[in-house]
Amino acid sequence: MQVFRAALKAFFRHPIYLLIYVVLLSCMGVFMGMSMNDAPSDEYLEWPRVAVVDRDGQELSQGLRAFVLDQGEAVEVHDSERALQDAVMQELASYILIIPKGFSADFARAAATGAKMPEVQVIISSQSMDVTMMDSLVDEYLGVARTYTVALADASQSEVVARTNTAMAHTANVSVVQTTDAPPLSNAFLVYLQFEGYTILLSIAVCSAVVISRFGREEMHRRVAASPVPQLSVNLQIAAACLVIMLACWAFVCVLGLVAFGGRIAGVAAPVVAAALAALLCYSLFGLAFGFLVGQMTDNELVMNAVSNITGLVISFLGGVWISLDLVGEPIVTIAKFTPVYYYNGAIKAALDPAGGGFTSEALANMGIVCLFALVVFCIGLAISGIRAGRMGVWNGSSTKQLSHPAA
Amino acid sequence: MAIVEVRNLVKRYGEVLALDHFNLQIEEGEIFGLLGPNGSGKTTSINCLLQLLTYDKGDILLFGEPMRPNSYDIKRRIGVVPQDVAVFDELSVRENIDYFCGLYVSDGARRRALVDEAIEFVGLRDYTKFRPRKLSGGLKRRLNIACGIVHKPDLIFFDEPTVAVDPQSRNAILGGIQRLNAEGATVVYTSHYMEEVEQICSRIMIMDRGESLACGTKDDLVRMVSTGEKVEVEAPDLPGGTLEALGALPFVRRISHDGTSIHLLCDNGPHNLATILGVLQERAVVFGRVYSEPPTLNDVFLEITGKELRD
């Protein structure tokens, strides 16, 4: 266990890495998580100020006009280009619906023949939830009207409008029911875990790379290889030390998270939290494999830190730590799918899913993919190690290359 | 008994032939010097001996047993002091020595005693808690040596251990190697400092381009080459015919006068200097200081390899 002990000693003689990468970054994750509000929102949807310009004047257009004005705060706007512009610019109306001339007739014709439905014009002052909601209601109104037009072929337009108004008047009663088993999960804890993906990757990668590189220096390698300790034993002891470092980092992040967010996840079932932390453990394995790869490539600490930091930042960006993936383009999301952080996020979201989290098949599948990423990176590290040994002509007990002993 | 025996060792680095049918035999209790310019194959041969490098052909026997990568019983009896200081910057002097000792000795009590002994041996008693980066170059070299010899090996390989150290540390290192040898260790010492090899080695091999060019004691090597004694006599004023008279001596191979001194290159012989001075006295030549230098290992090396030491 001499190598194992020396590896851990070497690691603990770098307290600055522990302080910066493990403690400070984890604390940053806590602050980020705490900035999220888990309490139910007191905000309610305000209805927009709406205006309707009916250039058609038929029963369907009038019915639509009445419906829209009924859904929001009605505002009168003259049907002129200047007036419409002023209304939008001065935010007199946030949603203006313009029904073009002949719309009702075109609507009936299109419904009867199956042709493309005519469109109404919409002018909005700013895209907000209430405006989006209003737009959606208009689409729904026209969709219902079309259904009645098709279904009641002989019905008059007034009858279609009446039935549509009746249908649109129906609402579903919705209420939030809090159950004892699965209360709403903490968004703060989720954000914390997302950020800790960055912390874990960076801290484990740098710390394990430092340890691995210490033993990987050519002279050190030769000195140890000349000793009676089998190379396999040396490698296993180094691996065990790195594993301990990985588990220590993971445990620290977990304990810190549980302490900081204990109140917010107090009612969450234990398997749900355990699954989320297991996902973090899988991601830690990727960090370890990445550290092994970096440790094989260089023994320069500056380069190790640079590579780990840059990779950590890029991967974290692709994982949505800095900007939500919902706000980035499809190409970025596609690229993110080739990184383990995407599946790590998938795993923790599935694990903390209020609709049934824990060790679900989705969570486990994502964890499995993260582990596969770790395996691939580890194999690349092994290949680099083998190539280096081959170039030096070094007999490397950890590689598959065997010494070709003519005398043997 | 031959502690080290190498037969027809061939090692290639791609197209480069690093060891060309290299043969070596080292007897128990020797300090054996491997002398050669950089790139001559000294370190490669040691690495092959220790099974740290693959090789293409040849047999290696240590302590009479074939050496294999997994010959752990043989490796237990070997100490290695590599060319570059190979220690952990994060560990203290004592921790470093203890770590390398632990690779060979598992018993804690015995290890502590050995570590203490090694620390005393290399004179690092006052630095046991220092980290290597706080040590001077010479102290680092001594730490490197302590790590290699702490387990009291029977066979120790020193690969250029005095590179970039001050004269005091160098003398301490060479003295230490002689003490280790006196305590029973067989030593293989590689260097390109000829005076060191001359000072401590009982036998010397001169190698270049992966080949053994000559091997024997220093006297054996000197006898192998034609370079002889160099004599210099301070004599500014020479009567006519003096140089011719000296040049006519049968053992004088070359003679010159630079205005202040006569320089003679002679064949090896027991009475060269007396004969030369006799000729000068016969001719009433007034002379001052007289130098006589027998052939050095450097002369041997230059004649055998035909070149200056590289680097």
Side-chain angles (χ1 to χ4, degrees):
Chain A
M1 297 301 280
Q2 196 74 0
V3 178
F4 175 75
R5 278 200 298 268
L8 285 185
K9 270 185 195 170
F11 165 67
F12 283 113
R13 298 285 160 82
H14 289 280
I16 195 76
Y17 289 149
L18 288 174
L19 183 68
I20 293 174
Y21 289 133
V22 184
V23 178
L24 292 183
L25 278 181
S26 296
C27 290
M28 201 172 151
V30 170
F31 296 140
M32 285 185 76
M34 283 185 165
S35 68
M36 302 303 294
N37 192 357
D38 279 339
S41 174
D42 292 332
E43 292 175 10
Y44 56 90
L45 197 63
E46 286 186 357
W47 293 109
R49 285 191 294 277
V50 295
V52 178
V53 176
D54 184 3
R55 292 173 182 164
D56 191 30
Q58 299 300 308
E59 285 178 61
L60 178 60
S61 64
Q62 285 173 356
L64 178 59
R65 179 175 184 276
F67 173 78
V68 169
L69 294 178
D70 191 43
Q71 298 301 321
E73 186 186 337
V75 175
E76 276 297 323
V77 177
H78 291 292
D79 185 8
S80 71
E81 193 174 341
R82 175 71 182 269
L84 289 171
Q85 283 175 358
D86 285 350
V88 172
M89 293 303 293
Q90 294 169 18
E91 295 193 345
L92 297 173
S94 53
Y95 185 88
I96 302 173
L97 178 70
I98 301 172
I99 305 171
K101 192 168 178 55
F103 174 79
S104 299
D106 292 344
F107 186 90
R109 199 177 307 115
T113 60
K116 187 174 182 290
M117 300 299 288
E119 289 179 351
V120 290
Q121 269 182 281
V122 173
I123 301 171
I124 55 175
S125 60
S126 61
Q127 188 72 48
S128 60
M129 190 58 79
D130 51 357
V131 170
T132 306
M133 185 69 179
M134 181 55 74
D135 205 34
S136 175
L137 284 172
V138 169
D139 286 345
E140 190 181 346
Y141 186 93
L142 292 174
V144 172
R146 180 182 179 280
T147 303
Y148 279 119
T149 306
V150 173
L152 309 171
D154 299 332
S156 65
Q157 210 168 62
S158 59
E159 191 179 349
V160 167
V161 170
R163 284 179 181 266
T164 302
N165 285 339
T166 305
M168 291 300 290
H170 287 297
T171 56
N173 287 323
V174 177
S175 61
V176 177
V177 179
Q178 186 154 329
T179 65
T180 51
D181 284 344
L185 296 177
S186 168
N187 192 35
F189 189 56
L190 178 68
V191 168
Y192 172 74
L193 287 179
Q194 277 183 322
F195 184 82
E196 288 313 296
Y198 172 64
T199 304
I200 280 285
L201 174 65
L202 198 52
S203 58
I204 294 176
V206 172
C207 293
S208 56
V210 165
V211 170
I212 290 165
S213 69
R214 290 296 173 272
F215 289 87
R217 281 186 297 152
E218 196 176 328
E219 290 302 321
M220 186 64 77
H221 173 80
R222 288 187 169 168
R223 191 163 214 164
V224 174
S227 77
V229 181
Q231 192 62 43
L232 181 64
S233 169
V234 173
N235 291 346
L236 286 177
Q237 289 183 59
I238 296 170
C242 291
L243 206 60
V244 167
I245 292 166
M246 183 204 86
L247 288 173
C249 293
W250 173 76
F252 178 84
V253 168
C254 291
V255 169
L256 186 68
L258 292 176
V259 169
F261 301 98
R264 301 193 189 196
I265 56 172
V268 179
V272 171
V273 177
L277 298 182
L280 188 63
L281 183 62
C282 293
Y283 196 62
S284 302
L285 285 172
F286 173 75
L288 186 60
F290 183 68
F292 173 71
L293 175 65
V294 175
Q296 295 302 321
M297 290 194 295
T298 179
D299 59 2
N300 184 321
E301 270 180 53
L302 206 61
V303 177
M304 279 178 205
N305 279 283
V307 170
S308 301
N309 269 287
I310 291 168
T311 309
L313 283 170
V314 171
I315 287 186
S316 301
F317 167 73
L318 292 172
V321 170
W322 315 115
I323 302 169
S324 170
L325 282 185
D326 297 332
L327 301 177
V328 299
E330 190 58 32
I332 299 292
V333 176
T334 305
I335 293 170
K337 286 177 183 172
F338 290 96
T339 65
V341 73
Y342 180 86
Y343 301 95
Y344 163 65
N345 280 338
I348 53 174
K349 279 176 183 166
L352 296 174
D353 188 354
F359 289 97
T360 60
S361 56
E362 186 188 351
L364 288 172
N366 279 306
M367 286 184 217
I369 293 172
V370 173
C371 290
L372 284 176
F373 268 102
L375 186 66
V376 168
V377 172
F378 178 71
C379 289
I380 294 170
L382 273 184
I384 290 174
S385 166
I387 290 167
R388 280 180 63 195
R391 278 190 184 160
M392 288 191 289
V394 175
W395 183 80
N396 185 350
S398 63
S399 77
T400 52
K401 186 173 190 265
Q402 255 305 337
L403 178 65
S404 56
H405 266 292
Chain B
M1 175 195 170
I3 293 280
V4 177
E5 198 172 350
V6 178
R7 296 186 211 121
N8 292 317
L9 190 62
V10 176
K11 165 71 185 171
R12 289 175 187 279
Y13 291 110
E15 295 297 309
V16 179
L17 188 59
L19 291 174
D20 185 6
H21 294 88
F22 179 71
N23 292 292
L24 176 66
Q25 185 156 331
I26 300 172
E27 302 298 322
E28 188 174 1
E30 280 192 297
I31 300 182
F32 188 88
L34 266 179
L35 191 58
N38 282 352
S40 60
K42 303 186 298 290
T43 303
T44 299
S45 58
I46 288 184
N47 284 335
C48 288
L49 277 169
L50 295 170
Q51 303 294 303
L52 304 180
L53 284 177
T54 57
Y55 50 90
D56 302 282
K57 192 179 159 189
D59 299 322
I60 296 172
L61 287 90
L62 298 185
F63 302 101
E65 300 286 330
M67 184 64 172
R68 304 259 185 277
N70 56 358
S71 299
Y72 300 121
D73 287 337
I74 297 177
K75 286 184 173 183
R76 204 175 291 283
R77 301 176 66 185
I78 298 173
V80 181
V81 179
Q83 190 171 341
D84 293 326
V85 176
V87 293
F88 291 98
D89 285 335
E90 292 85 356
L91 305 187
S92 68
V93 164
R94 170 174 276 283
E95 286 170 337
N96 264 300
I97 299 172
D98 181 67
Y99 167 72
F100 287 105
C101 189
L103 298 176
Y104 297 83
V105 180
S106 53
D107 178 60
R110 182 162 174 253
R111 202 164 69 228
R112 273 191 294 279
L114 287 170
V115 170
D116 284 336
E117 209 174 316
I119 288 170
E120 285 297 334
F121 186 84
V122 296
L124 288 175
R125 170 60 62 199
D126 297 333
Y127 305 94
T128 51
K129 291 184 178 166
F130 280 51
R131 302 267 184 91
R133 69 166 70 98
K134 300 272 184 191
L135 300 178
S136 66
L139 292 177
K140 268 188 203 170
R141 286 276 165 196
R142 287 199 235 166
L143 170 61
N144 199 34
I145 291 172
C147 294
I149 58 134
V150 60
H151 58 289
K152 287 193 170 293
D154 297 321
L155 173 62
I156 311 172
F157 290 89
F158 286 92
D159 192 2
E160 307 199 21
T162 57
V163 171
V165 299
D166 58 273
Q168 286 81 5
S169 293
R170 177 179 293 187
N171 287 336
I173 289 169
L174 295 179
I177 290 171
Q178 286 175 311
R179 267 190 291 153
L180 286 169
N181 179 247
E183 288 170 11
T186 304
V187 175
V188 180
Y189 187 89
T190 77
S191 179
H192 55 214
Y193 294 122
M194 274 177 273
E195 64 275 23
E196 288 181 1
V197 175
E198 212 169 345
Q199 184 182 335
I200 66 168
C201 294
S202 50
R203 277 202 310 141
I204 301 158
M205 174 181 279
I206 295 177
M207 61 186 301
D208 195 16
R209 304 199 188 285
E211 281 184 279
S212 164
L213 301 180
C215 185
T217 63
K218 183 198 158 194
D219 291 338
D220 291 338
L221 295 179
V222 168
R223 275 194 293 272
M224 280 180 206
V225 298
S226 58
T227 304
E229 185 180 4
K230 282 183 275 189
V231 177
E232 186 182 332
V233 182
E234 196 177 280
D237 301 316
L238 287 183
T242 306
L243 283 181
E244 289 74 12
L246 288 170
L249 293 171
F251 55 83
V252 174
R253 278 200 262 153
R254 201 165 62 226
I255 186 166
S256 62
H257 186 252
D258 61 7
T260 55
S261 299
I262 310 167
H263 301 274
L264 300 107
L265 184 64
C266 311
D267 291 335
N268 289 321
H271 310 297
N272 292 351
L273 186 58
T275 311
I276 291 166
L277 294 180
V279 170
L280 293 177
Q281 281 170 341
E282 275 172 19
R283 293 178 169 270
V285 176
V286 179
F287 58 88
R289 299 164 71 179
V290 177
Y291 306 94
S292 170
E293 190 183 32
T296 62
L297 201 55
N298 191 49
D299 298 318
V300 176
F301 185 88
L302 290 177
E303 184 155 329
I304 288 178
T305 62
K307 62 179 87 67
E308 292 284 351
L309 281 175
R310 290 184 283 269
D311 193 15

